[in-house]
Amino acid sequence: STVEYGLEAPFSVEYHESIGSTNARARELATEGASNMAVLADEQTGGRGRLERAWSAPSGGVWVSVVTRPEITPAQAPLYTLAASVAMARSIREAGVDARIKWPNDVVIPVGEDGDYQKLAGILTEMEGETDRVEWIIVGMGINANIDAESLPEGATTIRDEAGDVDRRLFVQRVLEEFDAYRNDLEAVVPAWRELALTLGQRVRIERAAGDIVGEAVDVTSSGALVIETEEGEKTVSAGDCEHLRP
Ligand code: BT5
């Protein structure tokens, strides 16, 4: 199932026409010691979102998972998710689509002025390591590229629907190049993220087991946590589901 993809990518690429989940395959490779590898597929039959949610990944999309072994602490791992969201949003914008970033792991297209959006891409970050050191990190990126939005769940849109098809080979190459540049320059991630963030300035609700946080999203920290101004003062959250509330 593995063929040469002919990409000039900063990562060595294992390509599959069809696979269960590129993140699951990347995990196998990571536990075998792989690094700087990308698993790319045309179609996933068991694509995954966060919290075991299903991710629709028909043929025509860009489904890719990158394995790296960075010298960072687990607390900095959210920066990798932000780096991926910036890489994806910038590449999608080059394709002529007004892509913006919804914290923490979505690339979306704004609808109206109220923080509404349609989802164009998502990120699933997984890692292994100890409290002071990450052993490996997998950043799974799913981009609805050359797909009809009507074949995806409600609320999804695609590059095809917004601007027409992309050359997927060149497109994946751009995404991987951009991701590589940002993971090698982590200080550039947050400034680039701020420029494309749809979540900043929004009233949000973050759902957490420890209790929801409601307030205005005002910034992200240097490690990628969201800063929220609440009635009880400023709070930061490093992960969670984020809902944009109507003003
Ligand atoms: C995500 O989860 O957004 C992470 C998606 C990561 C997918 C990539 S593809 C390559 C790699 N291999 C994998 O198996 N996964 C990664 P989350 O924030 O939990 O959002 C999931 C929700 O998005 C679902 O519950 C649906 O409502 C919705 N959804 C499912 N498929 C979608 C799609 N193709 N486009 C837009 N929304 C979708």
Side-chain angles (χ1 to χ4, degrees), residues 85-101 107-111 118-121 143-147 156-166 171 196:
S85 69
V86 169
M88 291 154 73
R90 285 170 55 96
S91 305
I92 295 166
R93 295 181 75 83
E94 284 174 10
V97 179
D98 181 25
R100 303 282 298 277
I101 302 167
V107 177
V108 301
I109 295 186
V111 177
Q118 288 187 303
K119 184 160 167 173
L120 193 68
I143 303 158
N144 301 329
N146 304 340
I147 302 171
T157 190
T158 70
I159 296 179
R160 171 178 285 173
D161 276 54
E162 302 294 330
D165 284 5
V166 287
F171 181 77
L196 293 174

Side-chain angles (χ1 to χ4, degrees), residues 100-103 113 115 190-204 215-221 225-228 242 244:
R100 303 282 298 277
I101 302 167
K102 175 175 170 284
W103 187 88
E113 305 290 321
V190 168
W193 184 89
R194 284 194 188 104
E195 290 197 7
L196 293 174
L198 184 65
T199 302
L200 289 185
Q202 294 290 320
R203 243 180 93 68
V204 297
E216 187 187 337
V218 289
D219 203 3
V220 288
T221 67
L226 192 65
V227 182
I228 301 160
C242 170
H244 290 185

Side-chain angles (χ1 to χ4, degrees), residues 21-23 44 47-50 53-56 63-65 105-106 119 122-124 140-142 144 152-153 156:
S21 157
T22 56
N23 261 48
Q44 294 180 119
R48 286 183 294 127
R50 294 176 303 156
R53 292 189 280 241
W55 180 258
S56 301
W63 323 120
V64 61
S65 300
N105 71 318
D106 295 340
K119 184 160 167 173
I123 303 160
L124 177 63
M141 300 179 253
N144 301 329
L152 294 176

Side-chain angles (χ1 to χ4, degrees), residues 2-130:
T2 304
V3 299
E4 255 315 306
Y5 198 64
L7 268 183
E8 278 182 53
F11 305 96
S12 63
V13 176
E14 180 185 286
Y15 175 72
H16 300 259
E17 252 163 41
S18 182
I19 194 170
S21 157
T22 56
N23 261 48
R25 174 62 186 144
R27 179 179 279 270
E28 286 176 5
L29 293 167
T31 54
E32 289 165 10
S35 190
N36 295 334
M37 269 203 80
V39 180
L40 175 67
D42 175 41
E43 169 196 69
Q44 294 180 119
T45 54
R48 286 183 294 127
R50 294 176 303 156
L51 308 169
E52 306 298 317
R53 292 189 280 241
W55 180 258
S56 301
S59 170
V62 169
W63 323 120
V64 61
S65 300
V66 180
V67 185
T68 62
R69 310 180 95 85
E71 286 182 24
I72 61 169
T73 63
Q76 292 173 298
L79 267 186
Y80 267 59
T81 304
L82 263 53
S85 69
V86 169
M88 291 154 73
R90 285 170 55 96
S91 305
I92 295 166
R93 295 181 75 83
E94 284 174 10
V97 179
D98 181 25
R100 303 282 298 277
I101 302 167
K102 175 175 170 284
W103 187 88
N105 71 318
D106 295 340
V107 177
V108 301
I109 295 186
V111 177
E113 305 290 321
D114 288 346
D116 269 356
Y117 57 85
Q118 288 187 303
K119 184 160 167 173
L120 193 68
I123 303 160
L124 177 63
T125 302
E126 300 180 277
M127 68 170 167
E128 180 85 14
E130 283 120 52

